[in-house]
Amino acid sequence: MTGSPMPKPSSVDLAAAYFPGSHSENEAWVRAEFQAVLDDWFGWRKGLFADDPRVSTRTDRRSGAVLHERELMSQRLAELCDALTAETPTHTPRYVGHMKAELSLPALFGWLAAMLHNPNITSREAGKVGTVIEGEAIAMLAGMLGYDPDQAEGHFTSGGTVANFEAVWRARYRLDHWLSLALYISEATGETLDVFAAAHMGWDRFRALWEAHQLSDEVLRRYSAAAGNPADVHRRISTASGRDYLGPVVLVPGNKHYSWHKAANIFGFGEESFWSVRLDAEGRLDLDDFERLVLRAQGDGRPVLMAVSVAATTETGEIDPVDRLHDLLEVWERERGWRIWRHVDAAYGGFLCSLIGGPDEAELGPVAARALKAVGRADSITIDPHKLGYVPYACGTFLTRDRSRYAVSAFDAPYLDRPELGDGKWSSTLEGSRSAAGAAATWLTGKTLGFGPDGMGALLAETIRARRQFQAAVGAALPFVRFLEPSDTNIVCFAVADDGDPLSRSNPLTEALFAAFHESAAFSVSKTTLGADYATQRARHVAAYGGVEDAAGLVLIRCVFMNPYWTAPDIRARLIPEFIAFVRAAVIGDMPTPRLDHRSVA
Ligand SMILES: *Cc1c(COP(=O)(O)O)cnc(C)c1O
């Protein structure tokens, strides 16, 4: 085909083309594509084994019994559809409550097409095509995140929670190998075991020692806390090191998602072993505190199983200094030989890496941009297509930088090729049977919209601009709205407070505003309370309006501007003033007794 090249689509074009439309503007086209998918599916089925007998004849299907059953299904289905309309309408831009918004069209089409075939990507046998699609989707995500797509490995999970567990599982596998080998040597030679040094020795040293001692898997198993009896192995580590061995610690910033508490429980490390790294005045991982905790772990003879950073946090959308954390850990790797597993929990913010290197990178601000550029230096990453990827639930992803980091579970040397991967990933995933639908939805999104600056990046940049425009307009109109600073992404939080208000007054005001939102259908927002982990940021926030911290937590209203329709100027022009009017009315307007002094209202 010849002709002039297509003009580059604007973010408004992308929102118009890639989503159903806030009022189903793309209905006719979406119906046609759904129909095409069904045509294809029925056609495929009809063409297979065409001479085989049919399960029913036309006459059978007109019998009273069959018609009755069909009628029943029709009725119940209609009831189900009807019941579902009571769900919160999260596709509209008025929904800024949680990390959920409209589904994209490639995600819907890809999901439907794969779901009809129902491949199980636990093995190649059960998902011949699905496993290939999964591999290609993983490679596309890997490229966006800064991994080498040819080296990276990974798989789809039911979500970020399980993806984070996958990381813990692998970090433990690695640490357990290194410590087992060192315990073997110590018991064989009588040398004192340096637990911290041994547990971070690296595969090169492991291989050299393995060969020098002519070890086998069978022998090493007897020194493994994962393959053998953990109580027995810990007791022997205590003896070999000459001090009580209390097990590894996991360093997770105070802004962590609840899934890390669950991991502490499930893996049996105990909640005590999940050490919370303090947050700085920006609500991001405090590097000094991180360093202090690693040195404390070293002093206590406890290995660091993994160092977690978050991009972006569930509560406020803040992005940890992933770059500076990796700088520090890489220096330690070179100078001290400590190989500490680095995991980035990018369940929410991973897709923001699509802005990197494009014209919209500046929307992120230099600090967040540097952090996101460093995501690909991690050993492993969690990213949720079912959040900023606009893909249906349940769709998370776990990735590692390369195959050796992906190794887990089977007690074999990870530098050997693992033949069982040839049959699929069943032995390397926490979950057993897995659907290909999420992988196909992600795949089609990557092949159409794309995970680069011109596609997903342009769209997400516009959601950050919408958040900024919203914040500027609300801040200008309502001085008693106190935004939490900074805001790295498309999430913003605010409290209601008059100048000099103590938290004991402003928290109830914010709660009352939240209740007003809850009672009204106008907008859906969410609420969060920043507790002790956020002490520094909270103090700075309250000090900014001369407030007083006389309560344990800071109550905030949280707005997530991930909905693609916020890119449309008409929608912003209509909804932002409406939001302002709503807040004004709820806080000072038609309340029986004004809760704020009118002097504070412009
Ligand atoms: C949402 C989220 C998770 C958990 O993901 P699910 O898909 O809900 O299991 C983990 N970490 C962060 C930072 C998140 O935002």
Side-chain angles (χ1 to χ4, degrees), residues 245-265:
Y245 177 57
L246 297 178
V249 297
V250 178
L251 299 192
V252 194
N255 55 25
K256 63 187 169 296
H257 184 265
Y258 197 76
S259 52
W260 296 104
H261 291 286
K262 295 182 185 170
N265 264 284

PDB file of all heavy atoms in Angstrom, residues 245-265:
ATOM      1  N   TYR A 245      21.318 -19.144  65.382  1.00  0.00           N
ATOM      2  CA  TYR A 245      20.887 -18.720  64.045  1.00  0.00           C
ATOM      3  C   TYR A 245      19.386 -18.473  64.071  1.00  0.00           C
ATOM      4  O   TYR A 245      18.599 -19.377  64.368  1.00  0.00           O
ATOM      5  CB  TYR A 245      21.249 -19.780  63.003  1.00  0.00           C
ATOM      6  CG  TYR A 245      20.771 -19.429  61.616  1.00  0.00           C
ATOM      7  CD1 TYR A 245      21.166 -18.233  61.007  1.00  0.00           C
ATOM      8  CD2 TYR A 245      19.924 -20.276  60.902  1.00  0.00           C
ATOM      9  CE1 TYR A 245      20.723 -17.893  59.746  1.00  0.00           C
ATOM     10  CE2 TYR A 245      19.479 -19.947  59.634  1.00  0.00           C
ATOM     11  CZ  TYR A 245      19.874 -18.754  59.054  1.00  0.00           C
ATOM     12  OH  TYR A 245      19.437 -18.417  57.803  1.00  0.00           O
ATOM     13  N   LEU A 246      18.989 -17.232  63.765  1.00  0.00           N
ATOM     14  CA  LEU A 246      17.570 -16.855  63.858  1.00  0.00           C
ATOM     15  C   LEU A 246      16.870 -16.782  62.505  1.00  0.00           C
ATOM     16  O   LEU A 246      15.747 -16.301  62.399  1.00  0.00           O
ATOM     17  CB  LEU A 246      17.421 -15.515  64.583  1.00  0.00           C
ATOM     18  CG  LEU A 246      17.897 -15.519  66.046  1.00  0.00           C
ATOM     19  CD1 LEU A 246      17.750 -14.138  66.670  1.00  0.00           C
ATOM     20  CD2 LEU A 246      17.122 -16.549  66.867  1.00  0.00           C
ATOM     21  N   GLY A 247      17.553 -17.238  61.445  1.00  0.00           N
ATOM     22  CA  GLY A 247      16.911 -17.248  60.123  1.00  0.00           C
ATOM     23  C   GLY A 247      17.109 -15.937  59.380  1.00  0.00           C
ATOM     24  O   GLY A 247      17.599 -14.956  59.928  1.00  0.00           O
ATOM     25  N   PRO A 248      16.720 -15.942  58.081  1.00  0.00           N
ATOM     26  CA  PRO A 248      16.937 -14.750  57.251  1.00  0.00           C
ATOM     27  C   PRO A 248      15.927 -13.643  57.547  1.00  0.00           C
ATOM     28  O   PRO A 248      14.898 -13.896  58.163  1.00  0.00           O
ATOM     29  CB  PRO A 248      16.736 -15.273  55.828  1.00  0.00           C
ATOM     30  CG  PRO A 248      15.802 -16.425  55.977  1.00  0.00           C
ATOM     31  CD  PRO A 248      16.078 -17.035  57.329  1.00  0.00           C
ATOM     32  N   VAL A 249      16.241 -12.434  57.077  1.00  0.00           N
ATOM     33  CA  VAL A 249      15.290 -11.326  57.160  1.00  0.00           C
ATOM     34  C   VAL A 249      14.988 -10.835  55.738  1.00  0.00           C
ATOM     35  O   VAL A 249      15.778 -11.011  54.824  1.00  0.00           O
ATOM     36  CB  VAL A 249      15.835 -10.148  58.003  1.00  0.00           C
ATOM     37  CG1 VAL A 249      16.066 -10.577  59.436  1.00  0.00           C
ATOM     38  CG2 VAL A 249      17.095  -9.551  57.390  1.00  0.00           C
ATOM     39  N   VAL A 250      13.815 -10.242  55.588  1.00  0.00           N
ATOM     40  CA  VAL A 250      13.419  -9.628  54.317  1.00  0.00           C
ATOM     41  C   VAL A 250      13.242  -8.142  54.586  1.00  0.00           C
ATOM     42  O   VAL A 250      12.538  -7.765  55.522  1.00  0.00           O
ATOM     43  CB  VAL A 250      12.105 -10.243  53.793  1.00  0.00           C
ATOM     44  CG1 VAL A 250      11.683  -9.568  52.491  1.00  0.00           C
ATOM     45  CG2 VAL A 250      12.258 -11.742  53.586  1.00  0.00           C
ATOM     46  N   LEU A 251      13.895  -7.295  53.783  1.00  0.00           N
ATOM     47  CA  LEU A 251      13.791  -5.852  53.996  1.00  0.00           C
ATOM     48  C   LEU A 251      12.766  -5.277  53.020  1.00  0.00           C
ATOM     49  O   LEU A 251      12.961  -5.327  51.799  1.00  0.00           O
ATOM     50  CB  LEU A 251      15.145  -5.171  53.801  1.00  0.00           C
ATOM     51  CG  LEU A 251      16.254  -5.629  54.755  1.00  0.00           C
ATOM     52  CD1 LEU A 251      17.457  -4.697  54.669  1.00  0.00           C
ATOM     53  CD2 LEU A 251      15.765  -5.690  56.189  1.00  0.00           C
ATOM     54  N   VAL A 252      11.696  -4.777  53.579  1.00  0.00           N
ATOM     55  CA  VAL A 252      10.590  -4.243  52.782  1.00  0.00           C
ATOM     56  C   VAL A 252      10.272  -2.844  53.293  1.00  0.00           C
ATOM     57  O   VAL A 252      10.180  -2.639  54.500  1.00  0.00           O
ATOM     58  CB  VAL A 252       9.336  -5.132  52.918  1.00  0.00           C
ATOM     59  CG1 VAL A 252       8.318  -4.787  51.862  1.00  0.00           C
ATOM     60  CG2 VAL A 252       9.692  -6.592  52.841  1.00  0.00           C
ATOM     61  N   PRO A 253      10.119  -1.858  52.406  1.00  0.00           N
ATOM     62  CA  PRO A 253       9.824  -0.508  52.895  1.00  0.00           C
ATOM     63  C   PRO A 253       8.470  -0.420  53.597  1.00  0.00           C
ATOM     64  O   PRO A 253       7.571  -1.229  53.335  1.00  0.00           O
ATOM     65  CB  PRO A 253       9.837   0.346  51.622  1.00  0.00           C
ATOM     66  CG  PRO A 253       9.691  -0.601  50.495  1.00  0.00           C
ATOM     67  CD  PRO A 253      10.229  -1.912  50.951  1.00  0.00           C
ATOM     68  N   GLY A 254       8.353   0.559  54.476  1.00  0.00           N
ATOM     69  CA  GLY A 254       7.135   0.725  55.266  1.00  0.00           C
ATOM     70  C   GLY A 254       5.897   0.985  54.436  1.00  0.00           C
ATOM     71  O   GLY A 254       4.780   0.861  54.929  1.00  0.00           O
ATOM     72  N   ASN A 255       6.078   1.328  53.150  1.00  0.00           N
ATOM     73  CA  ASN A 255       4.931   1.575  52.278  1.00  0.00           C
ATOM     74  C   ASN A 255       4.434   0.302  51.604  1.00  0.00           C
ATOM     75  O   ASN A 255       3.656   0.351  50.664  1.00  0.00           O
ATOM     76  CB  ASN A 255       5.311   2.606  51.205  1.00  0.00           C
ATOM     77  CG  ASN A 255       6.541   2.187  50.415  1.00  0.00           C
ATOM     78  OD1 ASN A 255       6.842   0.996  50.312  1.00  0.00           O
ATOM     79  ND2 ASN A 255       7.256   3.149  49.861  1.00  0.00           N
ATOM     80  N   LYS A 256       4.887  -0.846  52.095  1.00  0.00           N
ATOM     81  CA  LYS A 256       4.636  -2.121  51.408  1.00  0.00           C
ATOM     82  C   LYS A 256       3.155  -2.500  51.341  1.00  0.00           C
ATOM     83  O   LYS A 256       2.354  -2.092  52.158  1.00  0.00           O
ATOM     84  CB  LYS A 256       5.384  -3.249  52.118  1.00  0.00           C
ATOM     85  CG  LYS A 256       4.905  -3.448  53.546  1.00  0.00           C
ATOM     86  CD  LYS A 256       5.763  -4.442  54.274  1.00  0.00           C
ATOM     87  CE  LYS A 256       5.468  -4.466  55.756  1.00  0.00           C
ATOM     88  NZ  LYS A 256       5.791  -3.196  56.419  1.00  0.00           N
ATOM     89  N   HIS A 257       2.883  -3.311  50.366  1.00  0.00           N
ATOM     90  CA  HIS A 257       1.553  -3.871  50.176  1.00  0.00           C
ATOM     91  C   HIS A 257       1.336  -5.004  51.185  1.00  0.00           C
ATOM     92  O   HIS A 257       2.278  -5.618  51.669  1.00  0.00           O
ATOM     93  CB  HIS A 257       1.456  -4.427  48.754  1.00  0.00           C
ATOM     94  CG  HIS A 257       0.109  -4.947  48.405  1.00  0.00           C
ATOM     95  ND1 HIS A 257      -0.235  -6.269  48.530  1.00  0.00           N
ATOM     96  CD2 HIS A 257      -0.992  -4.302  47.954  1.00  0.00           C
ATOM     97  CE1 HIS A 257      -1.495  -6.425  48.145  1.00  0.00           C
ATOM     98  NE2 HIS A 257      -1.967  -5.250  47.798  1.00  0.00           N
ATOM     99  N   TYR A 258       0.083  -5.293  51.477  1.00  0.00           N
ATOM    100  CA  TYR A 258      -0.255  -6.308  52.461  1.00  0.00           C
ATOM    101  C   TYR A 258       0.254  -7.701  52.067  1.00  0.00           C
ATOM    102  O   TYR A 258       0.437  -8.565  52.926  1.00  0.00           O
ATOM    103  CB  TYR A 258      -1.776  -6.344  52.661  1.00  0.00           C
ATOM    104  CG  TYR A 258      -2.157  -7.048  53.920  1.00  0.00           C
ATOM    105  CD1 TYR A 258      -1.997  -6.410  55.160  1.00  0.00           C
ATOM    106  CD2 TYR A 258      -2.620  -8.356  53.907  1.00  0.00           C
ATOM    107  CE1 TYR A 258      -2.303  -7.064  56.331  1.00  0.00           C
ATOM    108  CE2 TYR A 258      -2.930  -9.012  55.080  1.00  0.00           C
ATOM    109  CZ  TYR A 258      -2.771  -8.372  56.288  1.00  0.00           C
ATOM    110  OH  TYR A 258      -3.061  -9.018  57.456  1.00  0.00           O
ATOM    111  N   SER A 259       0.513  -7.908  50.782  1.00  0.00           N
ATOM    112  CA  SER A 259       0.962  -9.235  50.348  1.00  0.00           C
ATOM    113  C   SER A 259       2.251  -9.660  51.052  1.00  0.00           C
ATOM    114  O   SER A 259       2.501 -10.860  51.203  1.00  0.00           O
ATOM    115  CB  SER A 259       1.162  -9.259  48.836  1.00  0.00           C
ATOM    116  OG  SER A 259       1.987  -8.201  48.411  1.00  0.00           O
ATOM    117  N   TRP A 260       3.067  -8.710  51.509  1.00  0.00           N
ATOM    118  CA  TRP A 260       4.332  -9.083  52.166  1.00  0.00           C
ATOM    119  C   TRP A 260       4.074  -9.660  53.547  1.00  0.00           C
ATOM    120  O   TRP A 260       4.813 -10.536  53.999  1.00  0.00           O
ATOM    121  CB  TRP A 260       5.284  -7.890  52.209  1.00  0.00           C
ATOM    122  CG  TRP A 260       5.670  -7.491  50.817  1.00  0.00           C
ATOM    123  CD1 TRP A 260       5.202  -6.415  50.113  1.00  0.00           C
ATOM    124  CD2 TRP A 260       6.528  -8.206  49.927  1.00  0.00           C
ATOM    125  NE1 TRP A 260       5.735  -6.418  48.850  1.00  0.00           N
ATOM    126  CE2 TRP A 260       6.546  -7.492  48.707  1.00  0.00           C
ATOM    127  CE3 TRP A 260       7.289  -9.378  50.037  1.00  0.00           C
ATOM    128  CZ2 TRP A 260       7.296  -7.908  47.607  1.00  0.00           C
ATOM    129  CZ3 TRP A 260       8.036  -9.793  48.946  1.00  0.00           C
ATOM    130  CH2 TRP A 260       8.034  -9.062  47.757  1.00  0.00           C
ATOM    131  N   HIS A 261       3.033  -9.182  54.228  1.00  0.00           N
ATOM    132  CA  HIS A 261       2.660  -9.812  55.504  1.00  0.00           C
ATOM    133  C   HIS A 261       2.249 -11.263  55.268  1.00  0.00           C
ATOM    134  O   HIS A 261       2.580 -12.159  56.029  1.00  0.00           O
ATOM    135  CB  HIS A 261       1.476  -9.080  56.143  1.00  0.00           C
ATOM    136  CG  HIS A 261       1.797  -7.707  56.633  1.00  0.00           C
ATOM    137  ND1 HIS A 261       2.532  -7.479  57.772  1.00  0.00           N
ATOM    138  CD2 HIS A 261       1.478  -6.492  56.138  1.00  0.00           C
ATOM    139  CE1 HIS A 261       2.651  -6.177  57.941  1.00  0.00           C
ATOM    140  NE2 HIS A 261       2.035  -5.550  56.978  1.00  0.00           N
ATOM    141  N   LYS A 262       1.500 -11.453  54.191  1.00  0.00           N
ATOM    142  CA  LYS A 262       1.046 -12.816  53.883  1.00  0.00           C
ATOM    143  C   LYS A 262       2.245 -13.712  53.594  1.00  0.00           C
ATOM    144  O   LYS A 262       2.294 -14.866  54.016  1.00  0.00           O
ATOM    145  CB  LYS A 262       0.115 -12.806  52.670  1.00  0.00           C
ATOM    146  CG  LYS A 262      -1.192 -12.065  52.906  1.00  0.00           C
ATOM    147  CD  LYS A 262      -2.056 -12.166  51.650  1.00  0.00           C
ATOM    148  CE  LYS A 262      -3.323 -11.335  51.773  1.00  0.00           C
ATOM    149  NZ  LYS A 262      -4.033 -11.246  50.485  1.00  0.00           N
ATOM    150  N   ALA A 263       3.227 -13.179  52.862  1.00  0.00           N
ATOM    151  CA  ALA A 263       4.411 -13.969  52.512  1.00  0.00           C
ATOM    152  C   ALA A 263       5.139 -14.410  53.775  1.00  0.00           C
ATOM    153  O   ALA A 263       5.595 -15.561  53.881  1.00  0.00           O
ATOM    154  CB  ALA A 263       5.346 -13.161  51.610  1.00  0.00           C
ATOM    155  N   ALA A 264       5.251 -13.508  54.749  1.00  0.00           N
ATOM    156  CA  ALA A 264       5.936 -13.839  56.001  1.00  0.00           C
ATOM    157  C   ALA A 264       5.273 -15.054  56.639  1.00  0.00           C
ATOM    158  O   ALA A 264       5.934 -15.960  57.138  1.00  0.00           O
ATOM    159  CB  ALA A 264       5.900 -12.654  56.952  1.00  0.00           C
ATOM    160  N   ASN A 265       3.961 -15.075  56.592  1.00  0.00           N
ATOM    161  CA  ASN A 265       3.217 -16.184  57.164  1.00  0.00           C
ATOM    162  C   ASN A 265       3.386 -17.461  56.368  1.00  0.00           C
ATOM    163  O   ASN A 265       3.712 -18.511  56.906  1.00  0.00           O
ATOM    164  CB  ASN A 265       1.724 -15.824  57.184  1.00  0.00           C
ATOM    165  CG  ASN A 265       1.310 -15.284  58.523  1.00  0.00           C
ATOM    166  OD1 ASN A 265       1.171 -16.058  59.455  1.00  0.00           O
ATOM    167  ND2 ASN A 265       1.163 -13.989  58.628  1.00  0.00           N
TER     168      ASN A 265
END
